[in-house]
């Protein structure tokens, strides 16, 4: 077993703690020692868990460590606060310190053909949704390809996002940001939500993070054992069952300023969203920004 580093000596670049970081008693710090004790074990996926008080981006930090060869598969980097977090399409992502789960993991799925690595963000979405539903006691849904939705006041709101980046030749760093205790006046945009606003039974981030990482270990193990086959691992069926995008009219804003409108009818074997257009053509979308135009018809 890898010896956990001391709490006072986290690896990876980090900024000094923000002033007054102990003032919000509703947002206690994560227990790094407890997280390691509960998650790092012989034969398990998670080998090292570092918690830093403040950094620019856990994804950027862990990618840099992976490319330098100073991080192994199963490394987890968690930040209490991020100052330069990024979402898809380089969108900025901000949240108050200790108001959510902000972490990245390093995976090296060497047994899986690279062509199937595109399933990793969707796999992470399933794992996050499963872990949070079990631990927080709330209903969740997935918005293709990388958002987690919760219901606040009868409306769907985005409560989590996922960003996957290649790290060298054989690694993938997956970053996850979850709004846990954000209050209504702290939401960055009206379409955002949080576990607290969705009625979570707990906003204690320690069990929430443990639940998500255990779920991710489970799903990643199934997928890797199946050689990345989304059908054999059960991933494709589970993702499809929990995907709120299917059955809706959507607008896909694609690279090259192309826009495609149609009904989302399937997620194919490559993890692409299949749209049925008005012209009677079924077109797979592998990358782009998806906007839900209307809800599912009962």
């Amino acid at each position: 077993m890898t010896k956990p580093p001391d709490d006072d000596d986290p690896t990876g670049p980090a900024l000094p703690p923000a002033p007054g970081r102990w003032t919000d008693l509703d947002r206690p710090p994560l227990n790094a020692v407890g997280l390691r004790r509960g998650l790092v074990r012989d034969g398990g996926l998670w080998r090292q868990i570092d918690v830093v008080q403040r950094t620019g981006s856990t994804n950027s930090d862990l990618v840099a460590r992976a490319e330098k060869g100073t991080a192994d598969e199963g490394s987890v980097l968690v930040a209490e606060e991020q100052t330069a977090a990024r979402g898809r399409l380089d969108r900025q992502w901000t949240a108050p310190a200790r108001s959510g789960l902000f972490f990245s993991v390093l995976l090296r799925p060497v047994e899986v053909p690279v062509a199937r690595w595109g399933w990793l963000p969707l796999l992470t979405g399933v794992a996050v949704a499963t872990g949070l539903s079990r631990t927080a006691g709330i209903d969740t849904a997935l918005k293709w390809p990388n958002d987690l939705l919760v219901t606040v006041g009868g409306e769907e709101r985005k409560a989590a996002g996922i960003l996957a980046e290649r790290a060298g030749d054989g690694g993938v760093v997956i970053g996850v940001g979850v709004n846990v205790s954000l209050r209504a006046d702290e939401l960055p945009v009206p379409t955002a939500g949080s576990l607290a606003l969705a009625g979570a039974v707990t906003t204690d981030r320690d069990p929430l993070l443990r639940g998500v990482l255990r779920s991710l270990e489970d799903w990643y193990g199934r997928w890797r054992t199946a050689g990345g086959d989304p059908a054999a691992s059960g991933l494709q069926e589970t993702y499809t069952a929990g995907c709120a995008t299917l059955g809706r009219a959507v607008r896909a804003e694609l690279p090259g300023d192309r826009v495609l409108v149609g009904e989302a009818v399937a997620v194919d074997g490559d993890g692409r969203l299949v749209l049925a257009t008005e012209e009677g053509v079924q077109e797979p979308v592998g990358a782009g920004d998806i906007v839900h135009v209307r809800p599912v018809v009962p």
Side-chain angles (χ1 to χ4, degrees):
M1 179 183 296
T2 303
K3 180 181 182 297
D6 294 334
D7 287 345
D8 294 333
D9 185 29
T11 58
L15 300 176
R21 60 189 178 89
W22 306 110
T23 57
D24 192 338
L25 299 181
D26 291 331
R27 292 171 175 165
L30 290 165
N31 182 343
V33 173
L35 290 170
R36 295 183 192 118
R37 186 180 299 119
L39 293 166
V40 177
R41 57 185 176 82
D42 287 324
L45 173 62
W46 308 121
R47 311 305 300 160
Q48 180 172 324
I49 299 176
D50 296 321
V51 178
V52 298
Q53 295 301 325
R54 189 168 178 245
T55 191
S57 161
T58 57
N59 253 37
S60 297
D61 293 351
L62 198 50
V63 167
R65 287 173 52 190
E67 292 179 344
K68 291 177 183 176
T70 58
D72 298 323
E73 181 178 48
S75 295
V76 182
L77 181 59
V78 190
E80 296 283 30
E81 181 183 11
Q82 293 187 105
T83 60
R86 293 169 291 118
R88 289 182 66 251
L89 308 178
D90 287 328
R91 293 189 179 108
Q92 188 175 11
W93 190 88
T94 60
R98 303 186 318 282
S99 66
L101 297 175
F102 321 126
F103 67 95
S104 298
V105 303
L106 173 60
L107 303 176
R108 298 188 186 278
V110 293
E111 309 92 337
V112 177
V114 174
R116 288 176 168 169
W117 289 16
W119 272 98
L120 280 170
L122 281 69
L123 181 155
T124 304
V126 168
V128 172
T130 302
L132 291 179
S133 293
R134 289 174 178 169
T135 311
I138 58 172
D139 291 331
T140 60
L142 297 163
K143 177 175 178 285
W144 189 93
N146 70 330
D147 291 342
L148 181 78
L149 306 177
V150 297
T151 302
V152 178
E155 297 182 352
E156 285 181 339
R157 302 282 190 90
K158 176 180 174 178
I162 297 160
L163 178 66
E165 299 182 77
R166 290 291 296 267
D169 293 333
V172 179
V173 167
I174 302 178
V176 178
V178 182
N179 293 336
V180 175
S181 64
L182 258 71
R183 299 177 278 268
D185 61 349
E186 295 175 319
L187 297 175
V189 292
T191 54
S194 69
L195 303 188
L197 292 174
V201 297
T202 181
T203 56
D204 185 338
R205 294 178 303 142
D206 283 283
L208 291 172
L209 182 54
R210 287 196 300 269
V212 167
L213 289 176
R214 285 171 181 153
S215 180
L216 181 52
E217 180 177 16
D218 176 47
W219 274 106
Y220 180 62
R222 294 191 215 181
W223 177 77
R224 189 168 56 177
T225 298
D229 187 321
S233 64
L235 176 59
Q236 186 175 6
E237 180 181 5
T238 303
Y239 186 89
T240 298
C243 183
T245 304
L246 295 178
R248 302 173 99 131
V250 302
R251 184 174 70 253
E253 299 172 356
L254 308 176
D257 295 326
R258 182 177 172 231
V259 175
L260 181 67
V261 177
E263 181 182 354
V265 295
V267 175
D268 70 13
D270 294 320
R272 299 175 300 180
L273 185 68
V274 180
L275 300 187
T277 67
E278 291 182 352
E279 292 76 22
V281 176
Q282 292 198 353
E283 185 165 345
V285 174
D289 207 20
I290 301 297
V291 179
H292 289 175
V293 177
R294 62 168 169 79
V296 177
V297 176

